[in-house]
Amino acid sequence: MTAPSAAATSSAAATSSAAATSTGAAATFAARPDPTPPPGHRPIGGAGGAGRRGMLEHVTVRAASSVLVGRHRETAALRDALGRARAGEPTTVLVGGEAGVGKTRLLEDFAGWATDGAARVLVGQCLELGEAGLPFAPFAAALRAVLRADGPEVFAGYEGEFAPLLPELGRAATSATPRAVPLSDAPRGYLFDLVAELFQRLADARPLVLIIEDLHWADRSTRDLIGFLVRAARPGRLLLMCTYRTDELQRGHPLRPFLAELDRARGVERVELGRLDRDGTAAILADLLGAEPLARAVDDVHERTQGNPFFIEELAVAGDPIGCAALPETLRDLLLARVDRLPEPTQRVLRIAAAGGTRFAHDLLAEVAGLPEAELEDALRAAVAAQLVVADRDGDYEFRHALVREAVHDELLPGEHARLHARFAAAIEAQPHLVAAGRAPAEIAHHWHAAHDHPRALVAARAAACAAADRYAYAEQRRLLERALELWELVPEPADLLGMDHLALLEQTLDAAVTAGDFSRAITLTRAGLAEVDADAAPLRAARLLDQRGRLMALLGKSDGSRELDEAYRLAAGGPPGAERVRLLADIATHLVKIDPQKAARVAAEAGTDAEAFDVKVALLSTRIALLCHGERDLTGGLAELGQAAAAARAAGDAPTLVLAMVFESDMLCELGRYAESAQAAEAGVAEARRVGISRSTGAYLLSNRAEALIALGRWDEAEAVCAEAARIDLSGVTGLHWLQLGAGLRLARAHPGADELVDRALTFLNRPYLWPNHRLPLHELAIEAALAADDKVEAVRAARVAVADESLPKLPREGWPVLSAAARTAARVGDRELAVAVAALAADLPARQPAARAHAAQVTALLAVGDQALPAWRAAVDAWRADGQPYPLGRALLALAEATAAAGERDETAAAVTEATEIGRRLGTAPLVEAAATLARRVGLRGASGGGAGADLLTAREREVLRLVAEGHSNSRIAERLFISPKTASVHVSRIIAKLGVTNRVEAAALAHRLGLLTEATAPS
């Protein structure tokens, strides 16, 4: 299928983010190995009267529970998930719960069990910098662990491609022999494939468990890579586990729609952790205290904590549990109660560290704190001993729980807050090596923003946005630029600081949003830009915004965009001549092609006149390609012209236009029935799109074009793999609709368990106010086929009538013929004469120039044929599908031919057709086709024709006698009288006949008997 418009592919470069970070594993709740109480420890029960002393007097309290309480059901679910992953079924578990409910503790227990069972466990944690932060942070942590354990050889020579995630690999790769895809050109889709392949290799060696903690802090790139692993790549023997805080998911949180998308994917399971009941609270207290707590203490703690394990732990170590009424009631105060017991120097260091984030490096903290080394180490040692902070082997530190860090950070005075964040920003600016490679721009932007130093925050946000773009993290680039837009009004002379005006910044943000696939946000930005631009003073600038808005409106299915494009042309036509105007007119013409080809040609001609004058003829290449490939087309001649345009684009170094030409080349070849050539052309285009980093836009169409050709060739397993690959670039709007529709059709034909989900996702596009006809018609076909597969005759008729009423059908033979085939099949199955007449009328006027169209035309004729016309019509349809070469429609036509020949008594031809259809069905893996062939073979009494060992004829001689009487309308009692048997025996015979014929009642049995000629050998009883 062709792209909606050329500019939809040329203006949106592929997004690919990479992160170079170091992040630690999740915080642990392990008990202290040293039984010595930490500083500030006191026994539960302390001072306070005889009543307390009788409850928990002189009990030593551990900082964390060593037992997993009340999670038997959740533990069983996780272990079952690993069992499925071991069996080769890719599995994902999403573990949700409020902060402190025990998600990490549950996964630590499970990870230990999995490791004991010979599984490999990798852990990564999202950073609280969130959407504007470091891309791919948890994956970087997990891969760094792989690098440490297995060495660089594990990356199989792709160190340079993995360098966006692990910068240390980039330094090694620069000294090695350059690869075909250099680091700077490695697009995000290519990086995703490499990560999935690495996980596949690791999982092949032994089952792999990948744990990603705190998904609520995940950046867009991390979510995209997770989505790719779950919905597209699905490496075998991989169990992906993600934790997230349910109490963080307020309305508008980006994780909410992402989780909803994952829920629709096969193999995804949610495990929600609730609070503990009173018995659970008692069990944790008993473990922490080392003794059985009294009922009063349990009641008091459970009431205050409401069964949150972390709260229980914190309350237990903060003081006497039954004295919690004397403690602050808020969680922050509860957490700070532990911090307050530390020495003042340690508290001061913790406040400084809290400004740096949950995880902080020793050298960076030393630089910001400005303390003597010994004093700093003493303070950190006290914090580690109190288990507020944990140290790792890399020399970094991490707050044991993010809530501890948040509570400490929230306690900073306003001036202290700004001052500390400013010191962190200045330190990282002066010495970027104090943070992990690649983290500096994002960290600097975060700290200046938190310091409320608006001028520096503005500059840093844009610098971080540029760094994000360099790593193909266009979603992060867009968010950082959005922050810059927010800061613009707070900064004096912002244009001087950035070297651009506000509209330019907005335009840059718009480009990033489009490239990232955030079309809804891009629409909003075009509206803001149009409100700001002075169309009289800057007509070309306004026209560019209108052009983008018109294209986005169509991509989102809101309208065809013609109103915006018409206004864009009016402004551009009156704008100053020059190269910019030529490019703008070319873009407008490209977008107009599918709306008004004649007007598009006029605008292109106007642009061509100026292109000669300003020597920018290359700007017209994409328009030339679009004009070649829409409207009435001479496909053979068009291919030759397309080759010339592709050669010109290659010579000019215009990679996006070259890839666009490859999209249309593969599409034309497929329409011509040259399916193998189409698949090869699309595969070459995919490689080119990856090379130049535009696989997120144009590459989507190349992938789906390849899948379409593979389906036509009968290489269905390959086609499904390509559709899965395309799933990772699931952009908003119609960009990913083609592969979705193809994938849904494949699953439907194979009776895949996930067919309904994919079909529903595809058909939701029909609810949009506008959809290009070449996208809409295949969805009508899918809706009809889905209803027929479900045997929903009412819905099939409704969908068929809607489809044949579509006014674009007579104008698009390529998409129209499959719709007419599906509608004719519906009319034949339900006997809807009115629908049949409508289909016949449309078929009479619809051209059928290409092989597939001719085959569909012959099939429609056969489906609508009656009486003696059916057999020759189905023979013609089978011949037409043989000429086209698509096996699946050939198999379906063969079954219809078999029915026709059976009715005509041509048993040898029937057997041959059923056998061939069975072989096709087995080769394609389509169970419904195989089962339909087997059923037909049984009905007509073929011996082994279905490949299922039918054996003797389906009906016995006595059953044929009974069937003849059923067909004559006799009741069981009358049949018994005629055949001299009991009514009960007659009833048994009738039941067996209905079961063998695969029908539901006597009427259907009689109709089928007449149609298939099953009564010709039955003799009347004497």
Side-chain angles (χ1 to χ4, degrees), residues 618-919:
V618 69
L620 293 173
L621 281 176
S622 61
T623 308
R624 177 185 172 192
I625 291 170
L627 289 169
L628 278 173
C629 302
H630 289 92
E632 290 294 326
R633 300 180 293 173
D634 171 12
L635 293 179
T636 303
L639 273 177
E641 290 188 60
L642 200 56
Q644 296 172 7
R650 193 185 302 273
D654 187 351
T657 301
L658 172 62
V659 173
L660 184 67
M662 300 173 91
V663 170
F664 286 113
E665 178 190 12
S666 62
D667 185 64
M668 282 187 174
L669 288 168
C670 190
E671 187 172 358
L672 285 167
R674 293 157 62 176
Y675 302 121
E677 294 175 71
S678 174
Q680 292 170 359
E683 186 174 17
V686 168
E688 181 68 14
R690 285 178 174 171
R691 185 186 71 81
V692 298
I694 57 174
S695 57
R696 184 172 172 83
S697 52
T698 313
Y701 303 109
L702 284 161
L703 283 172
S704 58
N705 281 0
R706 183 163 184 254
E708 185 176 20
L710 291 172
I711 291 171
L713 290 168
R715 291 156 59 181
W716 281 20
D717 289 340
E718 292 179 68
E720 280 206 343
V722 172
C723 285
E725 187 180 354
R728 75 179 185 273
I729 52 174
D730 191 11
L731 295 171
S732 57
V734 302
T735 313
L737 175 57
H738 189 209
W739 78 262
L740 186 60
Q741 168 243 320
L742 292 172
L746 270 179
R747 287 190 175 185
L748 200 62
R750 286 182 155 180
H752 188 285
D756 289 346
E757 176 241 334
L758 217 57
V759 168
D760 289 344
R761 283 180 59 192
L763 295 184
T764 56
F765 281 83
L766 286 174
N767 298 326
R768 304 198 177 197
Y770 178 79
L771 198 62
W772 275 294
N774 66 316
H775 287 94
R776 187 174 63 248
L777 288 174
L779 290 181
H780 285 315
E781 179 198 0
L782 179 63
I784 299 169
E785 293 290 356
L788 291 175
D791 200 27
D792 188 341
K793 296 175 182 177
V794 173
E795 174 58 23
V797 170
R798 186 205 66 78
R801 287 179 174 172
V802 170
V804 298
D806 193 308
E807 61 184 13
S808 63
L809 192 152
K811 306 171 188 175
L812 297 173
R814 181 183 181 183
E815 292 81 10
W817 276 115
V819 172
L820 289 184
S821 278
R825 185 174 291 108
T826 302
R829 180 175 296 188
V830 304
D832 189 321
R833 191 59 195 159
E834 182 181 345
L835 178 60
V837 170
V839 171
L842 287 166
D845 296 328
L846 195 64
R849 301 187 181 95
Q850 309 309 328
R854 290 194 290 268
H856 275 296
Q859 181 165 285
V860 168
T861 299
L863 285 164
L864 300 180
V866 294
D868 295 339
Q869 298 175 346
L871 181 55
W874 277 116
R875 284 172 174 159
V878 167
D879 290 343
W881 282 120
R882 289 194 195 283
D884 176 65
Q886 296 189 56
Y888 181 59
L890 171 61
R892 298 175 83 178
L894 283 166
L895 282 187
L897 173 62
E899 285 206 22
T901 54
E906 302 286 348
R907 293 179 62 82
D908 290 343
E909 190 175 356
T910 302
V914 169
T915 299
E916 186 178 358
T918 301
E919 292 171 352

Side-chain angles (χ1 to χ4, degrees), residues 407-431:
V408 175
H409 185 261
D410 289 346
E411 279 295 288
L412 295 174
L413 297 172
E416 187 181 21
H417 178 281
R419 186 169 60 255
L420 285 176
H421 278 287
R423 284 160 63 181
F424 270 103
I428 298 170
E429 280 185 335
Q431 302 180 70

Side-chain angles (χ1 to χ4, degrees), residues 477-734:
Q477 179 200 19
R478 194 268 294 176
R479 289 191 176 276
L480 286 160
L481 290 173
E482 293 263 18
R483 177 185 292 175
L485 286 171
E486 293 172 4
L487 291 167
W488 185 276
E489 301 298 332
L490 306 176
V491 175
E493 306 299 334
D496 293 339
L497 285 174
L498 295 184
M500 60 171 57
D501 61 18
H502 183 266
L503 183 57
L505 179 61
L506 194 150
E507 290 168 334
Q508 195 174 88
T509 310
L510 169 61
D511 289 339
V514 172
T515 307
D518 296 330
F519 296 153
S520 295
R521 181 56 182 162
I523 280 279
T524 301
L525 291 168
T526 60
R527 184 166 58 246
L530 288 168
E532 184 172 331
V533 69
D534 184 343
D536 294 331
L540 297 184
R541 215 168 180 180
R544 173 67 65 189
L545 288 166
L546 284 164
D547 174 50
Q548 288 178 300
R549 184 171 178 82
R551 176 169 55 89
L552 289 166
M553 293 290 283
L555 283 171
L556 289 172
K558 294 178 179 293
S559 74
D560 62 3
S562 58
R563 185 173 64 85
E564 290 80 5
L565 291 174
D566 286 344
E567 179 62 12
Y569 170 69
R570 186 188 70 79
L571 290 171
E580 181 184 358
R581 180 174 176 271
V582 171
R583 295 188 183 93
L584 181 54
L585 287 173
D587 280 349
I588 293 170
T590 301
H591 301 155
L592 279 171
V593 165
K594 297 189 75 171
I595 301 170
D596 188 341
Q598 293 182 344
K599 184 172 183 178
R602 293 195 300 271
V603 175
E606 186 177 343
T609 302
D610 288 350
E612 293 285 348
F614 295 101
D615 195 25
V616 284
K617 290 183 288 186
V618 69
L620 293 173
L621 281 176
S622 61
T623 308
R624 177 185 172 192
I625 291 170
L627 289 169
L628 278 173
C629 302
H630 289 92
E632 290 294 326
R633 300 180 293 173
D634 171 12
L635 293 179
T636 303
L639 273 177
E641 290 188 60
L642 200 56
Q644 296 172 7
R650 193 185 302 273
D654 187 351
T657 301
L658 172 62
V659 173
L660 184 67
M662 300 173 91
V663 170
F664 286 113
E665 178 190 12
S666 62
D667 185 64
M668 282 187 174
L669 288 168
C670 190
E671 187 172 358
L672 285 167
R674 293 157 62 176
Y675 302 121
E677 294 175 71
S678 174
Q680 292 170 359
E683 186 174 17
V686 168
E688 181 68 14
R690 285 178 174 171
R691 185 186 71 81
V692 298
I694 57 174
S695 57
R696 184 172 172 83
S697 52
T698 313
Y701 303 109
L702 284 161
L703 283 172
S704 58
N705 281 0
R706 183 163 184 254
E708 185 176 20
L710 291 172
I711 291 171
L713 290 168
R715 291 156 59 181
W716 281 20
D717 289 340
E718 292 179 68
E720 280 206 343
V722 172
C723 285
E725 187 180 354
R728 75 179 185 273
I729 52 174
D730 191 11
L731 295 171
S732 57
V734 302

Side-chain angles (χ1 to χ4, degrees), residues 15-30:
T15 72
S16 176
S17 339
T21 113
S22 116
T23 182
T28 65
F29 293 141

